[in-house]
Amino acid sequence: MAAVVVLPLLQPVLHSAGLARPGFALPSGACDSHMHIFDPRFAPSKHWTRQPPDAPVAAYRQLQARIGTQRAVVVTPSTYGTDNACTLDALAQLGDAARGVAVVDADVDDAELQRLHGLGVRGLRVNFVTPQSWGTTTPQMLATLADKVAPLGWHLQVFVHPEQLLAMAALLRGLPVPLVVDHMARLDPVQGAEGEAFALLGELLDAGNTWVKLSGAYMRSAVGGPGYADTLAMGQALVRRAPNRLVWGSDWPHTTEAPGSVHDAALVDLLGRWCAGDAALLARILVDNPARLYGFGPVPSS
């Protein structure tokens, strides 16, 4: 008689609702391409007015065990301004299974960028949505930073409202480095694939230099979780449009939402619905695409 495998009892994970695993097993090497670490050992920017959550690497490892991801991309949150120390500490803890996206000012020098590269950073984020605690982000910053990171093979990641995406269309079309648009450009699910911003995003994807993070479904959903059913058509449209330049992210610890309200396993299941359950598509978005974008090595054989 075959041995019965008993899975360990799942424990609650900080900042994540529920205890269930996703409805399907993720492929080996699956990457969560957008998450943040907040650690009380690192002070927030002196200009930051809100209390950061306690979301250390140990808690994130519990989330990985629950949802089945093995790789991660740690994104410096606006909380820390241009101080990437918390992200770099997380990268050191997570090792080669992690990469970083940092936040810097436009006057960053080559030596600092080289230092960040050696510690696992592979891109820079410019946030046009959340007021910065350290200064003002401008479209010109994208052009300046693009020239600086091009020799490193990095990308620029932007967090934008749809109207901001439209306003920067000419600049974004001409960037000399890959562009990553996080949280699906906060597109309105009501408009879905019919809106002007989706049309521009599709054009950028078709040009071959732009990537989109399938993340933050809750940011514009009117029906809410755990299913976020109103995002289905838009997510499926993105998957059909450019399956080779999409990555998925949990956005843990979900700082835009009520504490503990987001069910991370349900977010994985939503990705499954966006991909219509196609295992090959899921492997592309969760494994192959992030490996190319962030420079992960081959998935270790089991």
Side-chain angles (χ1 to χ4, degrees), residues 163-190:
E163 56 271 23
Q164 293 171 320
L165 186 78
L166 291 166
M168 293 189 291
L171 172 63
L172 299 180
R173 290 188 184 103
L175 286 177
V177 298
L179 169 71
V180 178
V181 180
D182 64 19
H183 303 324
M184 301 182 288
R186 291 180 54 88
L187 294 172
D188 184 355
V190 174

PDB file of all heavy atoms in Angstrom, residues 163-190:
ATOM      1  N   GLU A 163      -4.429  57.716 -16.405  1.00  0.00           N
ATOM      2  CA  GLU A 163      -4.266  59.021 -17.051  1.00  0.00           C
ATOM      3  C   GLU A 163      -2.797  59.446 -17.091  1.00  0.00           C
ATOM      4  O   GLU A 163      -2.376  60.168 -18.009  1.00  0.00           O
ATOM      5  CB  GLU A 163      -5.116  60.087 -16.355  1.00  0.00           C
ATOM      6  CG  GLU A 163      -4.869  60.261 -14.877  1.00  0.00           C
ATOM      7  CD  GLU A 163      -5.731  59.356 -13.989  1.00  0.00           C
ATOM      8  OE1 GLU A 163      -6.204  58.303 -14.489  1.00  0.00           O
ATOM      9  OE2 GLU A 163      -5.916  59.715 -12.810  1.00  0.00           O
ATOM     10  N   GLN A 164      -2.020  59.026 -16.109  1.00  0.00           N
ATOM     11  CA  GLN A 164      -0.584  59.334 -16.129  1.00  0.00           C
ATOM     12  C   GLN A 164       0.123  58.528 -17.204  1.00  0.00           C
ATOM     13  O   GLN A 164       1.045  59.036 -17.860  1.00  0.00           O
ATOM     14  CB  GLN A 164       0.014  59.046 -14.748  1.00  0.00           C
ATOM     15  CG  GLN A 164      -0.481  59.982 -13.661  1.00  0.00           C
ATOM     16  CD  GLN A 164      -0.040  59.542 -12.279  1.00  0.00           C
ATOM     17  OE1 GLN A 164      -0.034  58.350 -11.971  1.00  0.00           O
ATOM     18  NE2 GLN A 164       0.329  60.494 -11.433  1.00  0.00           N
ATOM     19  N   LEU A 165      -0.286  57.293 -17.378  1.00  0.00           N
ATOM     20  CA  LEU A 165       0.269  56.480 -18.464  1.00  0.00           C
ATOM     21  C   LEU A 165       0.046  57.162 -19.805  1.00  0.00           C
ATOM     22  O   LEU A 165       0.956  57.276 -20.630  1.00  0.00           O
ATOM     23  CB  LEU A 165      -0.387  55.096 -18.455  1.00  0.00           C
ATOM     24  CG  LEU A 165       0.180  54.064 -19.435  1.00  0.00           C
ATOM     25  CD1 LEU A 165       1.492  53.487 -18.902  1.00  0.00           C
ATOM     26  CD2 LEU A 165      -0.819  52.936 -19.673  1.00  0.00           C
ATOM     27  N   LEU A 166      -1.159  57.655 -20.022  1.00  0.00           N
ATOM     28  CA  LEU A 166      -1.490  58.331 -21.277  1.00  0.00           C
ATOM     29  C   LEU A 166      -0.677  59.608 -21.450  1.00  0.00           C
ATOM     30  O   LEU A 166      -0.190  59.902 -22.545  1.00  0.00           O
ATOM     31  CB  LEU A 166      -2.985  58.639 -21.330  1.00  0.00           C
ATOM     32  CG  LEU A 166      -3.913  57.426 -21.464  1.00  0.00           C
ATOM     33  CD1 LEU A 166      -5.356  57.809 -21.160  1.00  0.00           C
ATOM     34  CD2 LEU A 166      -3.801  56.824 -22.849  1.00  0.00           C
ATOM     35  N   ALA A 167      -0.515  60.364 -20.373  1.00  0.00           N
ATOM     36  CA  ALA A 167       0.215  61.630 -20.462  1.00  0.00           C
ATOM     37  C   ALA A 167       1.685  61.422 -20.808  1.00  0.00           C
ATOM     38  O   ALA A 167       2.318  62.286 -21.431  1.00  0.00           O
ATOM     39  CB  ALA A 167       0.085  62.401 -19.155  1.00  0.00           C
ATOM     40  N   MET A 168       2.247  60.276 -20.423  1.00  0.00           N
ATOM     41  CA  MET A 168       3.671  60.014 -20.676  1.00  0.00           C
ATOM     42  C   MET A 168       3.894  59.106 -21.883  1.00  0.00           C
ATOM     43  O   MET A 168       4.987  58.565 -22.070  1.00  0.00           O
ATOM     44  CB  MET A 168       4.305  59.382 -19.436  1.00  0.00           C
ATOM     45  CG  MET A 168       4.363  60.307 -18.240  1.00  0.00           C
ATOM     46  SD  MET A 168       5.359  59.617 -16.855  1.00  0.00           S
ATOM     47  CE  MET A 168       4.296  58.259 -16.323  1.00  0.00           C
ATOM     48  N   ALA A 169       2.887  58.947 -22.728  1.00  0.00           N
ATOM     49  CA  ALA A 169       2.957  57.975 -23.825  1.00  0.00           C
ATOM     50  C   ALA A 169       4.200  58.150 -24.692  1.00  0.00           C
ATOM     51  O   ALA A 169       4.911  57.178 -24.985  1.00  0.00           O
ATOM     52  CB  ALA A 169       1.697  58.072 -24.679  1.00  0.00           C
ATOM     53  N   ALA A 170       4.484  59.354 -25.124  1.00  0.00           N
ATOM     54  CA  ALA A 170       5.627  59.582 -26.023  1.00  0.00           C
ATOM     55  C   ALA A 170       6.936  59.205 -25.346  1.00  0.00           C
ATOM     56  O   ALA A 170       7.805  58.570 -25.958  1.00  0.00           O
ATOM     57  CB  ALA A 170       5.651  61.039 -26.475  1.00  0.00           C
ATOM     58  N   LEU A 171       7.090  59.572 -24.084  1.00  0.00           N
ATOM     59  CA  LEU A 171       8.307  59.244 -23.346  1.00  0.00           C
ATOM     60  C   LEU A 171       8.451  57.730 -23.189  1.00  0.00           C
ATOM     61  O   LEU A 171       9.533  57.169 -23.410  1.00  0.00           O
ATOM     62  CB  LEU A 171       8.260  59.907 -21.974  1.00  0.00           C
ATOM     63  CG  LEU A 171       9.359  59.523 -20.989  1.00  0.00           C
ATOM     64  CD1 LEU A 171      10.723  59.941 -21.515  1.00  0.00           C
ATOM     65  CD2 LEU A 171       9.093  60.147 -19.627  1.00  0.00           C
ATOM     66  N   LEU A 172       7.373  57.069 -22.828  1.00  0.00           N
ATOM     67  CA  LEU A 172       7.433  55.630 -22.586  1.00  0.00           C
ATOM     68  C   LEU A 172       7.749  54.859 -23.862  1.00  0.00           C
ATOM     69  O   LEU A 172       8.453  53.848 -23.835  1.00  0.00           O
ATOM     70  CB  LEU A 172       6.108  55.144 -21.987  1.00  0.00           C
ATOM     71  CG  LEU A 172       5.714  55.772 -20.640  1.00  0.00           C
ATOM     72  CD1 LEU A 172       4.381  55.210 -20.165  1.00  0.00           C
ATOM     73  CD2 LEU A 172       6.788  55.566 -19.594  1.00  0.00           C
ATOM     74  N   ARG A 173       7.232  55.333 -24.988  1.00  0.00           N
ATOM     75  CA  ARG A 173       7.519  54.665 -26.267  1.00  0.00           C
ATOM     76  C   ARG A 173       9.005  54.702 -26.605  1.00  0.00           C
ATOM     77  O   ARG A 173       9.507  53.813 -27.286  1.00  0.00           O
ATOM     78  CB  ARG A 173       6.725  55.327 -27.395  1.00  0.00           C
ATOM     79  CG  ARG A 173       5.218  55.095 -27.359  1.00  0.00           C
ATOM     80  CD  ARG A 173       4.577  55.645 -28.628  1.00  0.00           C
ATOM     81  NE  ARG A 173       3.132  55.533 -28.604  1.00  0.00           N
ATOM     82  CZ  ARG A 173       2.286  56.541 -28.368  1.00  0.00           C
ATOM     83  NH1 ARG A 173       2.768  57.764 -28.142  1.00  0.00           N
ATOM     84  NH2 ARG A 173       0.988  56.344 -28.363  1.00  0.00           N
ATOM     85  N   GLY A 174       9.704  55.729 -26.135  1.00  0.00           N
ATOM     86  CA  GLY A 174      11.092  55.908 -26.543  1.00  0.00           C
ATOM     87  C   GLY A 174      12.132  55.502 -25.520  1.00  0.00           C
ATOM     88  O   GLY A 174      13.324  55.742 -25.749  1.00  0.00           O
ATOM     89  N   LEU A 175      11.747  54.897 -24.413  1.00  0.00           N
ATOM     90  CA  LEU A 175      12.735  54.535 -23.401  1.00  0.00           C
ATOM     91  C   LEU A 175      13.749  53.535 -23.956  1.00  0.00           C
ATOM     92  O   LEU A 175      13.373  52.578 -24.638  1.00  0.00           O
ATOM     93  CB  LEU A 175      12.038  53.937 -22.175  1.00  0.00           C
ATOM     94  CG  LEU A 175      11.286  54.915 -21.254  1.00  0.00           C
ATOM     95  CD1 LEU A 175      10.590  54.141 -20.142  1.00  0.00           C
ATOM     96  CD2 LEU A 175      12.230  55.962 -20.668  1.00  0.00           C
ATOM     97  N   PRO A 176      15.017  53.710 -23.636  1.00  0.00           N
ATOM     98  CA  PRO A 176      16.055  52.806 -24.162  1.00  0.00           C
ATOM     99  C   PRO A 176      16.241  51.537 -23.337  1.00  0.00           C
ATOM    100  O   PRO A 176      17.124  50.733 -23.634  1.00  0.00           O
ATOM    101  CB  PRO A 176      17.316  53.670 -24.111  1.00  0.00           C
ATOM    102  CG  PRO A 176      17.088  54.563 -22.922  1.00  0.00           C
ATOM    103  CD  PRO A 176      15.602  54.858 -22.920  1.00  0.00           C
ATOM    104  N   VAL A 177      15.439  51.375 -22.295  1.00  0.00           N
ATOM    105  CA  VAL A 177      15.518  50.176 -21.446  1.00  0.00           C
ATOM    106  C   VAL A 177      14.115  49.589 -21.322  1.00  0.00           C
ATOM    107  O   VAL A 177      13.122  50.275 -21.586  1.00  0.00           O
ATOM    108  CB  VAL A 177      16.070  50.516 -20.044  1.00  0.00           C
ATOM    109  CG1 VAL A 177      17.484  51.062 -20.133  1.00  0.00           C
ATOM    110  CG2 VAL A 177      15.151  51.487 -19.311  1.00  0.00           C
ATOM    111  N   PRO A 178      14.000  48.320 -20.933  1.00  0.00           N
ATOM    112  CA  PRO A 178      12.662  47.753 -20.743  1.00  0.00           C
ATOM    113  C   PRO A 178      11.859  48.535 -19.709  1.00  0.00           C
ATOM    114  O   PRO A 178      12.397  49.032 -18.711  1.00  0.00           O
ATOM    115  CB  PRO A 178      12.954  46.329 -20.249  1.00  0.00           C
ATOM    116  CG  PRO A 178      14.302  46.013 -20.800  1.00  0.00           C
ATOM    117  CD  PRO A 178      15.062  47.309 -20.759  1.00  0.00           C
ATOM    118  N   LEU A 179      10.567  48.639 -19.961  1.00  0.00           N
ATOM    119  CA  LEU A 179       9.622  49.299 -19.064  1.00  0.00           C
ATOM    120  C   LEU A 179       8.725  48.240 -18.444  1.00  0.00           C
ATOM    121  O   LEU A 179       8.189  47.376 -19.156  1.00  0.00           O
ATOM    122  CB  LEU A 179       8.774  50.305 -19.844  1.00  0.00           C
ATOM    123  CG  LEU A 179       7.566  50.900 -19.106  1.00  0.00           C
ATOM    124  CD1 LEU A 179       8.042  51.856 -18.007  1.00  0.00           C
ATOM    125  CD2 LEU A 179       6.635  51.622 -20.082  1.00  0.00           C
ATOM    126  N   VAL A 180       8.571  48.289 -17.126  1.00  0.00           N
ATOM    127  CA  VAL A 180       7.660  47.390 -16.420  1.00  0.00           C
ATOM    128  C   VAL A 180       6.562  48.234 -15.784  1.00  0.00           C
ATOM    129  O   VAL A 180       6.856  49.147 -14.999  1.00  0.00           O
ATOM    130  CB  VAL A 180       8.396  46.572 -15.341  1.00  0.00           C
ATOM    131  CG1 VAL A 180       7.413  45.679 -14.581  1.00  0.00           C
ATOM    132  CG2 VAL A 180       9.490  45.721 -15.977  1.00  0.00           C
ATOM    133  N   VAL A 181       5.325  47.959 -16.125  1.00  0.00           N
ATOM    134  CA  VAL A 181       4.178  48.691 -15.579  1.00  0.00           C
ATOM    135  C   VAL A 181       3.560  47.828 -14.494  1.00  0.00           C
ATOM    136  O   VAL A 181       3.053  46.740 -14.772  1.00  0.00           O
ATOM    137  CB  VAL A 181       3.142  49.006 -16.681  1.00  0.00           C
ATOM    138  CG1 VAL A 181       1.962  49.780 -16.087  1.00  0.00           C
ATOM    139  CG2 VAL A 181       3.791  49.799 -17.814  1.00  0.00           C
ATOM    140  N   ASP A 182       3.629  48.305 -13.249  1.00  0.00           N
ATOM    141  CA  ASP A 182       3.132  47.438 -12.192  1.00  0.00           C
ATOM    142  C   ASP A 182       1.640  47.658 -11.922  1.00  0.00           C
ATOM    143  O   ASP A 182       1.036  48.645 -12.355  1.00  0.00           O
ATOM    144  CB  ASP A 182       3.980  47.513 -10.920  1.00  0.00           C
ATOM    145  CG  ASP A 182       3.996  48.851 -10.214  1.00  0.00           C
ATOM    146  OD1 ASP A 182       3.104  49.661 -10.459  1.00  0.00           O
ATOM    147  OD2 ASP A 182       4.905  49.071  -9.398  1.00  0.00           O
ATOM    148  N   HIS A 183       1.033  46.664 -11.273  1.00  0.00           N
ATOM    149  CA  HIS A 183      -0.368  46.679 -10.878  1.00  0.00           C
ATOM    150  C   HIS A 183      -1.304  46.990 -12.048  1.00  0.00           C
ATOM    151  O   HIS A 183      -2.313  47.680 -11.898  1.00  0.00           O
ATOM    152  CB  HIS A 183      -0.587  47.670  -9.739  1.00  0.00           C
ATOM    153  CG  HIS A 183       0.261  47.389  -8.523  1.00  0.00           C
ATOM    154  ND1 HIS A 183       0.569  46.112  -8.106  1.00  0.00           N
ATOM    155  CD2 HIS A 183       0.891  48.228  -7.642  1.00  0.00           C
ATOM    156  CE1 HIS A 183       1.323  46.169  -7.019  1.00  0.00           C
ATOM    157  NE2 HIS A 183       1.552  47.435  -6.726  1.00  0.00           N
ATOM    158  N   MET A 184      -0.930  46.479 -13.239  1.00  0.00           N
ATOM    159  CA  MET A 184      -1.785  46.588 -14.423  1.00  0.00           C
ATOM    160  C   MET A 184      -2.206  48.027 -14.700  1.00  0.00           C
ATOM    161  O   MET A 184      -3.297  48.301 -15.203  1.00  0.00           O
ATOM    162  CB  MET A 184      -3.018  45.691 -14.293  1.00  0.00           C
ATOM    163  CG  MET A 184      -2.673  44.225 -14.103  1.00  0.00           C
ATOM    164  SD  MET A 184      -4.104  43.112 -14.009  1.00  0.00           S
ATOM    165  CE  MET A 184      -4.744  43.556 -12.396  1.00  0.00           C
ATOM    166  N   ALA A 185      -1.302  48.977 -14.367  1.00  0.00           N
ATOM    167  CA  ALA A 185      -1.542  50.404 -14.602  1.00  0.00           C
ATOM    168  C   ALA A 185      -2.821  50.897 -13.932  1.00  0.00           C
ATOM    169  O   ALA A 185      -3.389  51.908 -14.341  1.00  0.00           O
ATOM    170  CB  ALA A 185      -1.581  50.724 -16.099  1.00  0.00           C
ATOM    171  N   ARG A 186      -3.267  50.178 -12.907  1.00  0.00           N
ATOM    172  CA  ARG A 186      -4.501  50.551 -12.197  1.00  0.00           C
ATOM    173  C   ARG A 186      -5.665  50.748 -13.175  1.00  0.00           C
ATOM    174  O   ARG A 186      -6.521  51.628 -12.993  1.00  0.00           O
ATOM    175  CB  ARG A 186      -4.284  51.810 -11.354  1.00  0.00           C
ATOM    176  CG  ARG A 186      -3.376  51.592 -10.160  1.00  0.00           C
ATOM    177  CD  ARG A 186      -3.199  52.877  -9.352  1.00  0.00           C
ATOM    178  NE  ARG A 186      -4.466  53.465  -8.951  1.00  0.00           N
ATOM    179  CZ  ARG A 186      -5.115  53.153  -7.824  1.00  0.00           C
ATOM    180  NH1 ARG A 186      -4.601  52.241  -7.001  1.00  0.00           N
ATOM    181  NH2 ARG A 186      -6.243  53.739  -7.529  1.00  0.00           N
ATOM    182  N   LEU A 187      -5.717  49.913 -14.211  1.00  0.00           N
ATOM    183  CA  LEU A 187      -6.790  50.023 -15.198  1.00  0.00           C
ATOM    184  C   LEU A 187      -8.146  49.762 -14.550  1.00  0.00           C
ATOM    185  O   LEU A 187      -8.275  48.923 -13.657  1.00  0.00           O
ATOM    186  CB  LEU A 187      -6.566  49.026 -16.332  1.00  0.00           C
ATOM    187  CG  LEU A 187      -5.340  49.257 -17.209  1.00  0.00           C
ATOM    188  CD1 LEU A 187      -5.146  48.076 -18.154  1.00  0.00           C
ATOM    189  CD2 LEU A 187      -5.466  50.559 -17.987  1.00  0.00           C
ATOM    190  N   ASP A 188      -9.152  50.461 -15.021  1.00  0.00           N
ATOM    191  CA  ASP A 188     -10.506  50.311 -14.500  1.00  0.00           C
ATOM    192  C   ASP A 188     -11.131  49.051 -15.088  1.00  0.00           C
ATOM    193  O   ASP A 188     -11.307  48.948 -16.307  1.00  0.00           O
ATOM    194  CB  ASP A 188     -11.339  51.536 -14.890  1.00  0.00           C
ATOM    195  CG  ASP A 188     -12.744  51.509 -14.304  1.00  0.00           C
ATOM    196  OD1 ASP A 188     -13.112  50.499 -13.673  1.00  0.00           O
ATOM    197  OD2 ASP A 188     -13.469  52.494 -14.499  1.00  0.00           O
ATOM    198  N   PRO A 189     -11.495  48.066 -14.253  1.00  0.00           N
ATOM    199  CA  PRO A 189     -12.096  46.837 -14.788  1.00  0.00           C
ATOM    200  C   PRO A 189     -13.406  47.081 -15.529  1.00  0.00           C
ATOM    201  O   PRO A 189     -13.777  46.295 -16.403  1.00  0.00           O
ATOM    202  CB  PRO A 189     -12.322  45.974 -13.538  1.00  0.00           C
ATOM    203  CG  PRO A 189     -11.408  46.521 -12.511  1.00  0.00           C
ATOM    204  CD  PRO A 189     -11.298  47.985 -12.805  1.00  0.00           C
ATOM    205  N   VAL A 190     -14.112  48.168 -15.194  1.00  0.00           N
ATOM    206  CA  VAL A 190     -15.376  48.455 -15.877  1.00  0.00           C
ATOM    207  C   VAL A 190     -15.126  48.702 -17.360  1.00  0.00           C
ATOM    208  O   VAL A 190     -15.860  48.225 -18.228  1.00  0.00           O
ATOM    209  CB  VAL A 190     -16.078  49.671 -15.230  1.00  0.00           C
ATOM    210  CG1 VAL A 190     -17.306  50.063 -16.039  1.00  0.00           C
ATOM    211  CG2 VAL A 190     -16.480  49.346 -13.789  1.00  0.00           C
TER     212      VAL A 190
END
